[in-house]
């Protein structure tokens, strides 16, 4: 099931999530771009409910939009894969995990080690644009 990393700690979010789980809302209703494609993103009815007013976006919705931008919009604007690289919503979280707790600089090296494999086939320094979704303090 999809879990919101951006859900507030209040009871309202918990009740909303609990209702969604009980109603079978975690069934995938859309996979973009296709289930067999690299980096495909599944969206459930519970994810779509996160688009309502006063709801927080979750990782699945952000990843869906980022993939849409990468596949549909960037090429039409001339920002092809040679000029841009798009990371998933989990990249930044993985990069900075535990870095804040260290003040001697070692955390940054550890962060690099955690994401090094994510860019092994991409020269990010040759790119003109890097899109990195950031979720900080429960807000996108």
């Amino acid at each position: 099931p999809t879990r919101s990393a951006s859900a507030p700690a209040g009871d309202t979010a918990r009740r909303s999530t609990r209702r969604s789980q009980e109603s079978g809302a975690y069934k995938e209703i859309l996979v973009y771009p296709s289930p067999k494609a690299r980096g495909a993103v599944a969206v459930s009815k519970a994810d779509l409910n996160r688009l309502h007013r006063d709801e927080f976006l979750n990782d699945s919705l952000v990843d869906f939009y980022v993939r849409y931008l990468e596949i549909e919009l960037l090429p039409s604007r001339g920002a092809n894969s040679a000029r841009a690289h798009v990371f998933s919503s989990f990249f930044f979280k993985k990069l900075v995990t535990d870095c804040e707790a260290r003040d001697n600089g070692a955390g940054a090296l550890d962060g690099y080690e955690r994401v090094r494999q994510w860019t092994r086939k991409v020269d990010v320094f040759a790119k003109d644009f890097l899109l990195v979704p950031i979720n900080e303090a429960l807000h996108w």
Side-chain angles (χ1 to χ4, degrees):
T2 304
R3 201 184 82 181
S4 172
S6 58
D11 291 335
T12 304
R14 284 193 212 121
R15 281 195 303 273
S16 170
T17 302
R18 205 174 298 127
R19 269 196 309 270
S20 296
Q21 288 172 335
E22 291 169 1
S23 66
Y26 283 99
K27 183 176 185 225
E28 291 177 358
I29 59 171
L30 170 73
V31 179
Y32 181 82
S34 71
K36 294 181 180 180
R38 176 194 67 80
V41 178
V43 176
S44 69
K45 184 176 179 186
D47 295 328
L48 291 180
N49 289 335
R50 293 259 172 216
L51 295 173
H52 292 189
R53 182 180 216 140
D54 298 326
E55 290 287 335
F56 288 94
L57 296 177
N58 65 10
D59 298 335
S60 294
L61 292 172
V62 171
D63 279 337
F64 171 84
Y65 187 63
V66 165
R67 288 293 288 156
Y68 171 79
L69 289 175
E70 180 181 24
I71 293 169
E72 305 291 336
L73 192 61
L74 290 178
S76 71
R77 301 283 193 256
N80 60 28
S81 62
R83 295 187 60 212
H85 183 71
V86 179
F87 291 97
S88 81
S89 64
F90 298 103
F91 176 81
F92 186 76
K93 186 186 313 183
K94 189 83 164 172
L95 177 68
V96 299
T97 300
D98 296 330
C99 287
E100 299 88 10
R102 300 178 187 200
D103 53 42
N104 62 2
L109 292 175
D110 291 345
Y112 167 73
E113 287 300 320
R114 283 191 295 277
V115 297
R116 186 175 69 168
Q117 293 297 315
W118 293 39
T119 58
R120 70 181 180 274
K121 296 180 182 177
V122 178
D123 180 2
V124 295
F125 298 105
K127 302 294 182 181
D128 293 326
F129 307 99
L130 297 175
L131 180 69
V132 181
I134 298 175
N135 179 337
E136 188 167 345
L138 300 177
H139 295 286
W140 286 101

